Amino acid sequence: VGVHEWIGRVEAVILFALSLSFFFLLVREIFGGTAAVWAILFYSFAPLNVMASRCFMPDVPSLSLSIVGLYLFLRWVANERSTSLFASAACISLSILIKAPAAIIGVPLAALAIERFRFSALRRIELWIFAIIALAPSALWYWHAHNVAKEFYPHHFFGAGGFEIMSASWYGKIARQLATSTLTPVVFAFAVVGIFLARSTTKARVLYSWLGAMVLFIVAAGYGNRHQWYQLPLGPIAAAFAGATCHRWSMRRTTPGIVAIGTIILFGVFSYSYGQQFFRASAADLRALGLELKETTSKQSLIIAADYGDPTALYYAERKGWHFLEKDGIYNGHPTSSADAIDDLEQLRKRGATHIVFYSATLWWLDYYKEFAEHLASTATLRQATPQFKIYELNERAN
C-alpha cells in the first residue's frame, strides 16, 4: 500500500496521549492534585512537546513508555503487587528497545528501590527479574544491531560519536533552548523555583535523580545533544517541578485567581510564539528535489546530494546515494576548498555515482567554489535547473 508517514505520526500521538494520564498520576503522587493539573498543562503544550508528539520519530513513544513504566514502578514500591512490577518492566523494556538513551530512566527507578528497601533491594529476586525483563531484550537487540553495522556499509551504528564533551558555549546554547523553545520562559522559571521549593518533599527524590541523570547525559553526550529532541525527558521533569511551584503559591489565600489566568495566557503566548519555528517548511525544496529525482532518474541511480546531511531528498527520491561531502558513508561537512570538493566527487564517481544535486541552500557552492564549478561543467551535464534545485548527470568519464 506504499509509504504512509501518518502511521508513524499516529503511533507518537497515541502513546503521548496515553502517557498523559500516567504523568498526571505520577505528579499527583509526588506533589498533589493541584501540582498535577499544572504539570500536565505545561507538559502537554510545551513547544518542543507539541512538535515532537506529532512527529514520525522514536523519541516521544520511548519517553511515553518510560513515564508509564516509572509510575507503575512507583505503584509497585507502594503496594508490591507483581502485576504493577511486570507491567512496568515491559514498558521500560519497550522504551529502551525504541531508543537506547531511555535507559537513563533506570536511575530514578533505582532511587525508588533504594529509598524503599535500602540496600536490601539487591537481595530481592523480583527486582532482578525486573532488570532481566527490562534490559535483556535491549542488550540482545543492540548487540545484533552492532553486528549489522560492522558487516554492512557504511559500518555506522546510529548514534555513535555522540558521547563527546563540548565547549561551554555549546552547553549555553542548549540552556537557551531549554528556556525558550523547549519549555518556554514560564515553565523554565517555575521549574527552577520548584527545584528549590520541593527539597523538603521526600517523594520528589525520584525527580531529582532523573534530573541529575539527564544533566550528566547532556554533558557527556554533548555532541549528541545537538539534536534538541534529545532533551525531551527534561519536559516532564520541568513540568512536574513547575507544577510544584504553582501548587505552593496556590495555597496562599492572598494569591488572586487572575494570577493563574495570567500564567496560562502568558504560557500559551510563549508556547505559540516559540513553537512556530518547528513548523516552518524548511525542507520543502529538498522534498521537491527528491520528487523530481524519483520521476526523472532510474531506480538504479546513485545520487550525490549536497544537502548538509538532510535525508529528505534521498527519502522522497527513493534512491540510494551519499551526502556530499562524505566520509565512510556519513555526511562530513561542506567543502573547505574546490580541491576538497573535486576529490570527494571523483571518489564517489568511481564508486558508481550517477548524479550530483544541489538545492537552494547549497546552490551558492557553485558560485563560491569556482574551480569545482568548472570541473563539474566539464564532467557532468546539467539536466534541470530551478530556483529550488539543480540536477547534474555525471558523464561516464571525467576529462
Side-chain angles (χ1 to χ4, degrees), residues 84-224:
S84 296
L85 183 68
F86 290 117
S88 173
C91 289
I92 298 300
S93 180
L94 287 172
S95 175
I96 301 172
L97 280 167
I98 292 172
K99 197 170 181 69
I104 290 171
I105 198 66
V107 176
L109 292 174
L112 281 172
I114 292 173
E115 182 181 349
R116 173 65 174 82
F117 304 110
R118 302 301 178 186
F119 291 103
S120 66
L122 296 174
R123 298 195 299 269
R124 297 186 69 94
I125 187 64
E126 62 266 48
L127 286 177
W128 285 103
I129 295 173
F130 176 93
I132 292 171
I133 295 173
L135 298 176
S138 296
L140 291 171
W141 164 248
Y142 289 114
W143 172 78
H144 164 69
H146 176 68
N147 287 336
V148 170
K150 287 196 303 182
E151 184 173 352
F152 294 97
Y153 177 83
H155 311 292
H156 175 70
F157 187 74
F158 193 80
F163 281 89
E164 181 179 348
I165 296 177
M166 307 299 287
S167 64
S169 61
W170 181 276
Y171 296 109
K173 178 184 176 182
I174 293 176
R176 288 192 297 273
Q177 287 179 336
L178 286 172
T180 53
S181 57
T182 298
L183 300 172
T184 74
V186 172
V187 178
F188 183 82
F190 282 14
V192 171
V193 174
I195 288 171
F196 291 97
L197 292 178
R199 287 179 298 174
S200 60
T201 305
T202 303
K203 291 183 178 180
R205 291 173 183 170
V206 63
L207 294 176
Y208 284 112
S209 59
W210 196 5
L211 174 61
M214 276 302 302
V215 171
L216 288 175
F217 170 71
I218 292 171
V219 172
Y223 184 67

Side-chain angles (χ1 to χ4, degrees), residues 313-344:
L314 293 175
Y315 174 79
Y316 282 102
E318 299 180 14
R319 302 289 183 266
K320 294 182 179 181
W322 303 268
H323 301 297
F324 188 62
L325 300 177
E326 71 85 37
K327 181 179 180 181
D328 298 327
I330 308 301
Y331 174 61
N332 195 40
H334 62 75
T336 58
S337 65
S338 286
D340 192 19
I342 292 170
D343 180 66
D344 201 53

